[in-house]
Amino acid sequence: MSGIVGYIGKMQAYPFLIEGLYKLEYRGYDSAGVAVQCPDGLKIIKTKGEISNLEEKVGKNLLAGNAGFGHLRWATHGKPSEINAHPHRACSDDFALVHNGIIENYLQLRQWLESEGHRFISETDTEVLAHLIEHYYRGDLLESVQEAIKKVTGSFALVAGVRGEKDRLICARKDAPLMIGLGENENYISSDFAALLPHTRKIHILEDMETALITASAVKIFNSDCTVLQKKAQQINWDVTSAEKSGYEHFMLKEIMEQPQALRDTMRGRLLDGGKKIDLSSELNFTTQEIKDFAKVFIVACGTAYHAGLVGKYLMEKILRLPVEVDVASEFRYRDPLLCENTLVIVISQSGETADTLAALRLARERGHKILAITNVVGSSVAREAGRVLFTYAGPEIAVASTKAYLTQLLALYMLTYYFAQERNLLEQKQLEKAGESLFNLPAQVETILDREKEIPKMADYLSRWENAYFIGRNMDFAVALEGALKLKEISYIHAEAYAAGELKHGTLALVVEGIPVMALATQNAVLDKSLSNIKEIKARGGYVHCFAQEGSEALQNEVDSIFYLPPAEDVFLPVLAVIPLQLLAYYTAVARGCPIDNPRNLTKSITVE
Ligand code: AGP
């Protein structure tokens, strides 16, 4: 989820590049750099940290030239550093390239290129692309890029330049956005509209496996067979602010809609062969014996990450038959927790900077336990201190209310669980393949739910007129109910509570009054009859029940006030699907109440203090 800009034309390139990088900085980044075709060569300047650091460094080095490109890095492979910042060169200083995406097979390509004599200096997957293009270069950069991308598996949006071809930039794209803005004797490149719209509204959006040759006066786009396409430019009428949100009104809705891609990016290179194989070995670096020796799992996190951990508990105890304890980090760190031998401590944190979670990690480390972090930020404190990390690749999450990061945390826990089941020989190969395929199909199932977004505002309209609401569920649905309640609370300011559905009769039923909205999660078919009886308890007392269940749960149809059917799947996978309508419900309820959405009162994105 890095940011790319490029320029070629009648003006100096650098001013557009630096302006464009600032336009993309909302996407989050840890380093920045530019490459410009100067009279004396293809010059690169890059720095870790703020764009202002880059500006300062460029300051005195005149980057005069009419063609160039820039990059904001959101690290995925290789910690944030100047060496790992883009643009990247190859062996010779003639080449430079910037890239957004994940090269899945970069290790294999790097080994092959090293065997061909290439020398690498960074830890990134991107540098492999630069050397690959150099390897195929025979005097035509477009051809070498077209050749190189055929060897790559994964996702890429790239811009490349070479010293001997000052009058052109070459682009390519697969599963990562890249667009070309058309000007008068100048053309622009960017990862998204925000950097283009101040200059042009005539835009080509590159499609997968398309490449482009861009000069000051022309743009040629080629399909995967390298034949020229006659494409009509699109006219984009968004304003810049809405462009940053890809046309959505709020970052939260944009990030809810990005979840299928976030899941695909997080499973990439880990769920192989359509999900038939799960391979985390190189990332986790546990021996099979270590995995077999684990006698307990302890998950520690805060807020939404804690709720992901609760789903993980139900999942791991069901599949691994291992005892799993889950605790909020602020409690864990001060209660002198009992951690028995062979306990794996998993810390979950989107930001990787939550003070309580970091303190919990340090406590577990002091006691000598193996620690695995699940985090979304490469180079974060949690990532650096955990020793072992299973990164989520949700990309920068801007809205305070976590959505896509949470969903990828769930996916990470599922992949970890089935990988452990494989290593502990707990499941037949067929069962493992079936589970992997179920995970592989989740993004498409999430897409079908998101396509029904329009069903939510009506439900939200009712909910928005109440100051209290309840979320109930049994088994894994209880963990999802907690997350649904938090989403609603933190952006609509409605007092929402989640309860294990079987608990209502032990007190909370006293609060059920005529019409009060109750969100009933009833996706776990194994306990559907029990959920149904809890729903009847509420209806008998006048509650207004919105139900979320799997398609085919007809018994509920006439017992509730509204029902949102989810795509059918094995119970154990439903948490990934059930949370989607709850996220949308929280969003549209908050919109109906005129709340600010992305930055709710009293909250910040990362709680780096106690
Ligand atoms: C979730 O919507 C909240 N913004 C909050 O609970 C968040 O999940 C919590 O602060 C943990 O943050 P982390 O994942 O970055 O550690």
Side-chain angles (χ1 to χ4, degrees):
M1 289 296 284
S2 304
I4 289 175
V5 292
Y7 176 87
I8 187 163
K10 61 195 176 196
M11 308 296 283
Q12 288 297 309
Y14 176 69
F16 169 80
L17 300 182
I18 203 72
E19 175 211 272
L21 292 180
Y22 274 114
K23 289 275 183 237
L24 300 186
E25 70 173 334
Y26 70 88
R27 295 161 63 101
Y29 64 95
D30 48 59
S31 48
V34 291
V36 174
Q37 286 279 19
C38 300
D40 55 346
L42 185 49
K43 275 196 176 166
I44 288 179
I45 295 182
K46 55 188 183 178
T47 59
K48 185 180 172 189
E50 299 295 315
I51 303 174
S52 54
N53 299 355
L54 175 64
E55 270 193 299
E56 203 178 311
K57 191 168 180 182
V58 169
K60 293 169 278 306
N61 307 279
L62 184 61
L63 279 181
N66 301 86
F69 39 89
H71 187 270
L72 289 182
R73 183 171 184 242
W74 174 268
T76 56
H77 294 74
K79 64 184 178 301
S81 68
E82 184 165 321
I83 280 266
N84 289 335
H86 301 209
H88 282 280
R89 291 196 186 285
C91 294
S92 96
D93 283 355
D94 291 349
F95 294 88
L97 162 139
V98 291
H99 162 242
N100 178 20
I102 295 171
I103 309 297
E104 263 176 63
N105 61 337
Y106 82 99
L107 286 174
Q108 298 91 313
L109 290 171
R110 178 165 173 153
Q111 284 157 8
W112 170 62
L113 287 162
E114 283 173 331
S115 73
E116 295 281 318
H118 288 259
R119 291 288 161 265
F120 290 80
I121 58 171
S122 83
E123 306 160 314
T124 66
D125 54 336
T126 300
E127 191 188 354
V128 168
L129 267 179
H131 288 271
L132 201 56
I133 291 165
E134 178 183 54
H135 183 82
Y136 289 110
Y137 189 69
R138 302 285 178 275
D140 182 324
L141 187 60
L142 171 65
E143 284 180 3
S144 60
V145 169
Q146 290 170 335
E147 192 60 36
I149 60 174
K150 290 176 190 162
K151 300 291 183 290
V152 166
T153 58
S155 56
F156 51 80
L158 70 90
V159 183
V162 65
R163 182 178 187 147
E165 299 181 36
K166 287 185 187 307
D167 67 339
R168 62 195 57 194
L169 296 175
I170 305 297
C171 301
R173 168 249 147 105
K174 177 174 172 289
D175 287 341
L178 196 63
M179 49 200 75
I180 301 162
L182 307 181
E184 294 298 322
N185 291 321
E186 57 191 357
N187 290 304
Y188 312 87
I189 303 163
S190 179
S191 310
D192 69 23
F193 300 103
L196 300 179
L197 293 180
H199 302 277
T200 178
R201 291 181 175 279
K202 284 175 68 181
I203 291 172
H204 284 300
I205 300 173
L206 282 186
E207 304 293 338
D208 278 355
M209 291 312 283
E210 286 182 351
T211 52
L213 186 158
I214 305 168
T215 65
S217 56
V219 174
K220 278 188 183 168
I221 298 175
F222 304 83
N223 67 13
S224 53
D225 299 334
C226 307
T227 49
V228 180
L229 294 168
Q230 300 306 323
K231 290 183 82 162
K232 193 171 172 325
Q234 299 182 40
Q235 182 71 18
I236 305 295
N237 296 316
W238 287 337
D239 59 41
V240 173
T241 310
S242 64
E244 289 177 357
K245 301 168 192 138
S246 300
Y248 293 104
E249 193 178 346
H250 301 102
F251 279 110
M252 183 179 176
L253 187 56
K254 175 180 179 242
E255 288 156 7
I256 288 173
M257 295 301 173
E258 284 176 341
Q259 292 185 114
Q261 189 60 43
L263 290 174
R264 290 190 177 101
D265 287 345
T266 299
M267 61 176 68
R268 199 184 298 282
R270 293 159 166 175
L271 272 191
L272 310 171
D273 189 14
K276 287 191 172 58
K277 183 166 170 40
I278 298 178
D279 183 9
L280 305 179
S281 53
S282 57
E283 292 177 88
L284 297 187
N285 196 16
F286 283 128
T287 65
T288 300
Q289 193 52 53
E290 283 174 317
I291 293 173
K292 286 179 175 173
D293 289 346
F294 288 134
K296 182 172 180 179
V297 172
F298 210 123
I299 301 174
V300 188
C302 300
T304 285
Y306 166 71
H307 296 152
L310 288 172
V311 173
K313 170 185 171 65
Y314 284 103
L315 176 70
M316 292 177 137
E317 289 190 342
K318 179 182 176 66
I319 303 299
L320 302 177
R321 306 310 295 157
L322 265 182
V324 180
E325 199 169 335
V326 191
D327 204 352
V328 289
S330 54
E331 287 299 305
F332 179 87
R333 66 182 292 196
Y334 291 118
R335 66 180 178 83
D336 191 11
L338 290 174
L339 290 171
C340 57
E341 207 178 329
N342 288 331
T343 295
L344 169 64
V345 176
I346 299 175
V347 293
I348 306 174
S349 175
Q350 186 283 130
S351 62
E353 300 300 345
T354 299
D356 286 322
T357 308
L358 200 49
L361 184 161
R362 288 169 179 162
L363 173 59
R365 190 180 57 196
E366 280 157 22
R367 298 200 180 175
H369 291 280
K370 288 188 175 64
I371 299 163
L372 172 65
I374 294 176
T375 183
N376 195 41
V377 182
V378 176
S380 63
S381 302
V382 162
R384 277 183 286 108
E385 298 190 28
R388 289 181 172 88
V389 190
L390 190 55
F391 285 110
T392 54
Y393 293 119
E397 188 174 67
I398 312 294
V400 166
S402 183
T403 51
K404 62 177 184 172
Y406 167 79
L407 213 68
T408 54
Q409 288 162 0
L410 293 190
L411 178 61
L413 288 163
Y414 279 93
M415 292 192 292
L416 181 70
T417 300
Y418 284 101
Y419 176 67
F420 276 17
Q422 175 183 280
E423 296 303 296
R424 290 166 71 104
N425 302 316
L426 296 173
L427 295 176
E428 299 294 322
Q429 186 54 31
K430 272 200 175 333
Q431 291 173 297
L432 282 169
E433 288 184 7
K434 189 162 179 285
E437 285 166 346
S438 298
L439 294 177
F440 193 77
N441 295 332
L442 286 173
Q445 290 180 304
V446 170
E447 273 163 354
T448 62
I449 298 169
L450 292 173
D451 288 347
R452 296 167 48 202
E453 173 194 2
K454 296 284 172 284
E455 295 176 36
I456 301 296
K458 184 167 176 294
M459 210 186 285
D461 179 54
Y462 183 90
L463 183 53
S464 67
R465 286 179 263 124
W466 288 79
E467 294 307 318
N468 299 286
Y470 296 99
F471 289 70
I472 64 168
R474 285 179 174 268
N475 200 292
M476 299 181 100
D477 278 339
F478 174 41
V480 177
L482 284 162
E483 175 56 14
L486 176 61
K487 286 283 99 45
L488 185 67
K489 254 186 280 205
E490 67 178 326
I491 62 169
S492 74
Y493 312 147
I494 291 172
H495 180 220
E497 287 308 315
Y499 285 91
E503 267 298 285
L504 288 168
K505 53 189 170 299
H506 299 286
T508 311
L509 268 182
L511 297 179
V512 175
V513 295
E514 188 62 31
I516 194 158
V518 177
M519 270 46 69
L521 279 292
T523 76
Q524 300 297 297
N525 287 336
V527 287
L528 188 58
D529 56 338
K530 301 296 177 196
S531 301
L532 182 54
S533 61
N534 295 137
I535 288 168
K536 286 179 176 175
E537 283 166 3
I538 293 163
K539 286 302 296 169
R541 292 157 179 81
Y544 188 96
V545 177
H546 294 298
C547 184
F548 302 83
Q550 290 192 51
E551 280 166 19
S553 315
E554 302 308 335
L556 295 159
Q557 187 73 43
N558 302 321
E559 303 294 339
V560 296
D561 298 280
S562 85
I563 192 160
F564 187 100
Y565 283 115
L566 295 158
E570 267 186 74
D571 285 6
V572 75
F573 299 108
L574 259 292
V576 178
L577 305 179
V579 75
I580 306 299
L582 302 187
Q583 293 169 341
L584 289 168
L585 181 60
Y587 173 79
Y588 280 106
T589 302
V591 167
R593 289 166 66 94
C595 296
I597 309 288
D598 288 333
N599 294 291
R601 69 186 180 206
N602 308 337
L603 300 177
T604 59
K605 185 60 185 170
S606 177
I607 319 297
T608 55
V609 294
E610 277 202 59

